[in-house]
Amino acid sequence: MRLYNTLSRGVEQVDPVEPGHVKMYTCGPTVYRYMHLGNLRTFMLADLIRRTLEFEGLRVTQVMNITDVGHMTDESSPEAVDKMLLAMEDEGLAPLEIATKYTESALADAQAVGIRLPDQLPKATEHVPEMLELTQTLLDRGHAYVVDSGSVYFDVTSFPGYGKLSGNTLDNLREGHRDLETDPRKRNAADFALWKAAGPGRVMKWESPWGEGFPGWHVECSAMSIEYLGERFDIHTGGTDLRFPHHEDEIAQSEGATGHQVVSIWVHGGHLRLSGQKIAKSTGNVIRVPELEERNLDPLAFRWLCFQTQYRSEMDFTWEAMETADQRVRQLRRHMAEWAPAAPALDTPAKGFDARFREAVADDLSMPTAVVVVNELDRSPEVEPAQKYALLASWDHVLSLDLEREAKAGWEPSEQMRALMAERDDARTAKDYTTSDRIRDELAAMGLEVMDTAEGTRVRPRG
Ligand SMILES: [Zn+2]
């Protein structure tokens, strides 16, 4: 599989550090609010990469963090109000109850859109010791400094590669950049917090060598990715908004602490817009999985909708397009039920389609091309129905649209099968066993199990 690497600005072959075993890290949800479809599109990107690599026969270990500490941006001053506190005031729940509630809903929504849960889901609050250790290492190596308030900052001038991911090099960074903290005690405007002293508005805080405080958001991902995947791993994913400062700072921390490159390929997904508008919780311009279900739309069809757009591009969600995607997925499932059962082996035209599908997903996850291949196969007169079934069932390991749902739920023999069954029953009545055996073999060759019952010949898909 080849992927576009934001770091090198080119498409690269996934060449795992450990042969045959790809390790990937995904920036996960913040759990004091519900996830919306835009978040799910980003998590689906990681899921599709994982599924494609597994489809190619590789082993994949995927880790996704759960951000359950209330900080979100680096612009919050030590006095800023903890967003977790705001959620607690709104909902009357304790911090852990808030985190549990939104973690559960995030994972349920992810599964509803066909995302397989990562192998590990480490929580930030359970890895504060690792973050303190990383912060100490950066202090020891001269990449960080403590200010008198008890906060620890990363000194960006100590890391020559700063800016290599996002292009926001120190030369480009102007003082007062809106994404940067404005603590006057910092040495450089672009320095970012590894550890922040707890102000009065802080609910979740921990003891540290520098006083009571809480970890910076970026240090969370450096500490947990290295803890679970080691000092060199293959793929790191996230939304395009995380390139700067989050991932830029993560590179500075991880490479500053280890002294070498940690992540090989950085993959970033484009944003989702709603009917041309930016998703903004403040204006209520947000759609969640339960709203799809309320409209009788299959959440899995959101995948098919996402497949129409290249993952790096911005994508526009409209209800009309979502309804079209829903109808198309249902139609494919109906076709699968008509084509069942699967052919035992692929013939030449089917193999051609299979090669095209595999090439599309391996080519930097070209899902719009994969969709074209699915649509062409669906109406192709050259491929036998049983072969179409076998192909789509196999491709569904990547697509995850539950395409066999109808075929497995209520399978019915085709008209041709029913004609053969009636012919066989007539032969048996006439005691013509040669003919009845020949038809039984014919049905078996179609992938069917043939049963003799009191009502005559019955068939069902084998296996
Ligand atoms: Zn992260």
Side-chain angles (χ1 to χ4, degrees), residues 4 22 30 78 94 129-130 132 163 186 215 223 230 257 261 283 294 299 301 312 338 341 359 386 424 432:
Y4 180 84
V22 178
T30 49
E130 288 89 339
L132 290 171
K186 293 198 298 188
Q261 186 171 357
T283 56
E294 280 161 23
R312 274 194 308 284
E338 288 163 18
E359 172 51 27
R424 181 167 185 262
D432 175 2

Side-chain angles (χ1 to χ4, degrees), residues 416-428 432-453 456-460 462:
Q416 183 201 7
M417 290 169 190
R418 280 200 297 274
L420 283 168
M421 288 156 65
E423 200 183 322
R424 181 167 185 262
D425 287 342
D426 290 348
R428 281 170 66 87
D432 175 2
Y433 296 113
T434 315
T435 303
S436 92
D437 286 355
R438 179 181 54 78
I439 296 172
R440 187 193 57 210
D441 293 347
E442 223 170 297
L443 288 165
M446 298 167 94
L448 301 171
E449 188 182 339
V450 183
M451 297 160 289
D452 295 318
T453 72
T457 304
R458 290 287 178 272
V459 294
R460 66 181 175 207
R462 211 173 27 228

Side-chain angles (χ1 to χ4, degrees), residues 25-28 65 67 217-218 220-221 236-237 242 246-247 250:
Y25 185 87
T26 300
C27 285
N65 65 303
T67 299
W217 173 37
H218 317 311
E220 169 186 326
C221 285
H236 195 310
T237 72
L242 297 189
H246 186 53
H247 289 162
E250 194 181 322

Side-chain angles (χ1 to χ4, degrees), residues 31-203:
V31 287
Y32 58 84
R33 61 181 180 211
Y34 288 115
M35 286 213 294
H36 54 68
L37 295 185
N39 304 131
L40 289 169
R41 183 186 181 213
T42 305
F43 297 136
M44 193 186 297
L45 165 61
D47 176 70
L48 283 167
I49 293 171
R50 176 192 186 181
R51 286 172 177 277
T52 301
L53 291 166
E54 288 176 349
F55 194 53
E56 292 188 341
L58 291 154
R59 183 182 156 209
V60 181
T61 297
Q62 189 194 3
V63 175
M64 181 172 85
N65 65 303
I66 303 284
T67 299
D68 59 351
V69 203
H71 58 83
M72 267 308 299
T73 69
D74 252 1
E75 52 206 334
S76 57
S77 66
E79 294 73 33
V81 179
D82 191 333
K83 286 181 180 169
M84 186 65 101
L85 179 67
L86 293 179
M88 285 163 57
E89 283 175 349
D90 284 353
E91 305 195 34
L93 297 172
L96 270 181
E97 291 172 323
I98 300 257
T100 303
K101 171 182 166 181
Y102 290 104
T103 302
E104 282 173 3
S105 106
L107 300 183
D109 288 351
Q111 287 175 293
V113 298
I115 294 172
R116 253 170 58 210
L117 294 187
D119 302 284
Q120 305 269 3
L121 292 159
K123 293 176 183 153
T125 51
E126 292 173 2
H127 295 80
V128 175
E130 288 89 339
M131 298 179 210
L132 290 171
E133 196 184 316
L134 186 77
T135 302
Q136 188 60 57
T137 304
L138 289 168
L139 281 166
D140 296 346
R141 292 180 69 114
H143 286 299
Y145 58 93
V146 185
V147 298
D148 53 13
S149 61
S151 291
V152 183
Y153 286 100
F154 188 97
D155 178 357
V156 291
T157 60
S158 74
F159 185 72
Y162 194 80
K164 63 183 174 182
L165 181 76
S166 63
N168 289 318
T169 55
L170 294 179
D171 297 341
N172 298 338
L173 284 172
R174 289 191 308 277
E175 207 147 325
H177 188 291
R178 63 181 179 82
D179 288 333
L180 302 175
E181 289 177 85
T182 49
D183 185 339
R185 290 160 291 204
K186 293 198 298 188
R187 287 182 193 164
N188 316 290
D191 290 352
F192 56 91
L194 299 168
W195 185 263
K196 297 183 195 180
R202 188 59 48 180
V203 191

